């Protein structure tokens, strides 16, 4: 055996295991030495195989280390992964996530020196194609999904005249914990006025625009309220999802968010008409 010392130590990192008292993975390192040390191979001669003698394959544990946190692992993404990064990004992720969600599903590759160069060159060759891809920020996707699950109670007065405007919508959103600027809200062109109890519980389509670029279709439900406690106030249930049949009842259809290439959506863009025309094409 090619060795300058008769003591041959073998270090083996045998994977990662969950720590006993926390969710963080730890690296378990074991150090072994031969029970029977094979003689050194003389220069110029062929190394003796370890299977030549059974005792050569016997080891004893001389050191064990299990308290060192394993830490994150660097991987190269082979495709866009929500909440992680874009194709060819080099990211550090939790080892368990890397192994179970990225590496096994072939969404990522270990960031070895060879692969860093290989995929770095590939990214450079594909830079024009990558630049054309529509990539919506993950935070915007999350916000959009949460907002689309809501049915916003648009509270209007039983007693005083009103016309639905951005101020009413913004105030109604704040009542359910959503803060938006007036300029982010886009309403139908046709005026909706009251009090009009024929409009009670009517579903209204409006839109919220994030950063002048990401349009989120919203549903509101008109709800008349009064400061007079003797009058009945109706509070619609916002927990139940709206069905396609309910939308059709009010002349509405299901819609999906829209991502604009540049951040220039404003009042002159015509959000309501644009989204209405887009929905008809689907």
């Amino acid at each position: 055996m090619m060795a300058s010392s008769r003591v041959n130590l073998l270090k083996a990192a045998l994977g990662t295991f969950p720590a006993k008292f926390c969710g963080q993975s730890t690296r378990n390192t074991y150090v072994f030495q031969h029970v029977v040390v094979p003689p050194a191979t003389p220069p110029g001669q062929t190394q003796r195989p370890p299977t030549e003698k059974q005792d050569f394959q016997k080891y004893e544990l001389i050191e064990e280390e299990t308290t060192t946190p394993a830490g994150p692992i660097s991987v190269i993404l082979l495709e866009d992964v929500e909440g992680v990064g874009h194709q060819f990004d080099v990211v550090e992720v939790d080892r368990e996530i890397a192994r179970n969600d990225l590496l096994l599903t072939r969404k990522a590759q270990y960031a070895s020196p060879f692969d860093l160069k290989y995929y770095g060159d590939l990214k450079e060759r594909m830079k024009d194609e990558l630049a054309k891809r529509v990539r919506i920020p993950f935070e915007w996707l999350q916000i959009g999904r949460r907002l689309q699950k809501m049915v916003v109670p648009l509270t209007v007065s039983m007693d005083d005249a009103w016309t639905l405007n951005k101020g009413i919508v913004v105030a109604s959103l704040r009542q359910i914990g959503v803060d938006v600027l007036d300029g982010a809200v886009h309403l139908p062109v046709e005026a909706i006025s009251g009090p009009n109890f024929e409009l009670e519980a009517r579903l209204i389509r409006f839109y919220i625009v994030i950063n002048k670029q990401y349009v989120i279709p919203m549903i509101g439900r008109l709800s008349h309220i009064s400061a007079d406690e003797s009058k009945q106030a109706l509070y619609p249930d916002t927990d139940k999802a709206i069905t396609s049949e309910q939308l059709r009842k009010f002349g509405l259809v299901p819609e999906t968010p829209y991502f604009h290439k540049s951040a220039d959506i404003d009042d002159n863009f015509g959000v309501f008409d644009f989204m209405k025309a887009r929905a008809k094409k689907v």
Side-chain angles (χ1 to χ4, degrees), residues 239-263:
D239 294 331
K240 295 182 179 179
I242 297 297
T243 64
S244 298
E245 184 178 348
Q246 289 174 303
L247 290 175
R248 286 195 297 269
K249 179 181 177 182
F250 297 101
L252 305 175
V253 295
E255 295 186 31
T256 57
Y258 167 73
F259 181 76
H260 198 54
K261 291 182 179 180
S262 55

Side-chain angles (χ1 to χ4, degrees), residues 5 29-30 40 44 47 50 65 98 108 111 124 128 137 160 165 176 191 197 254 264 266 276 279 281:
S5 171
T29 303
Y30 303 91
Q47 179 176 309
E65 182 179 329
E124 180 64 24
D128 292 337
D160 302 319
N165 56 33
I176 60 173
F197 293 101
D264 57 7
D266 53 21
K276 187 176 180 180
K281 295 178 181 179

Side-chain angles (χ1 to χ4, degrees), residues 157-160 224-235:
S157 176
M158 286 184 180
D159 309 309
D160 302 319
H224 288 80
I225 61 174
S226 174
D228 186 348
E229 295 183 357
S230 65
K231 296 182 179 181
Q232 183 181 7
L234 302 177
Y235 295 95

Side-chain angles (χ1 to χ4, degrees), residues 121-158:
D121 293 343
L122 185 58
K123 181 178 181 179
E124 180 64 24
R125 293 197 299 270
M126 293 178 60
K127 63 180 181 181
D128 292 337
E129 177 186 339
L130 294 173
K132 295 177 183 178
R133 292 186 183 178
V134 175
R135 286 172 165 173
I136 305 172
F138 179 62
E139 295 79 7
W140 296 7
L141 291 172
Q142 286 184 308
I143 293 172
R145 288 165 185 165
R146 287 199 294 266
L147 290 177
Q148 283 198 285
K149 292 179 181 179
M150 298 179 177
V151 180
V152 182
L154 300 175
T155 52
V156 291
S157 176
M158 286 184 180

Side-chain angles (χ1 to χ4, degrees), residues 96-108:
E96 186 174 351
I97 294 175
R99 289 172 177 166
N100 297 336
D101 299 337
L102 300 178
L103 297 172
L104 289 178
T105 57
R106 298 185 179 180
K107 294 179 181 178

Side-chain angles (χ1 to χ4, degrees), residues 159-188:
D159 309 309
D160 302 319
W162 54 265
T163 298
L164 188 65
N165 56 33
K166 294 182 179 183
I168 292 175
V169 175
V170 169
S172 298
L173 285 166
R174 285 176 180 166
Q175 288 180 346
I176 60 173
V178 179
D179 284 327
V180 298
L181 299 175
D182 287 10
V185 175
H186 295 262
L187 296 172

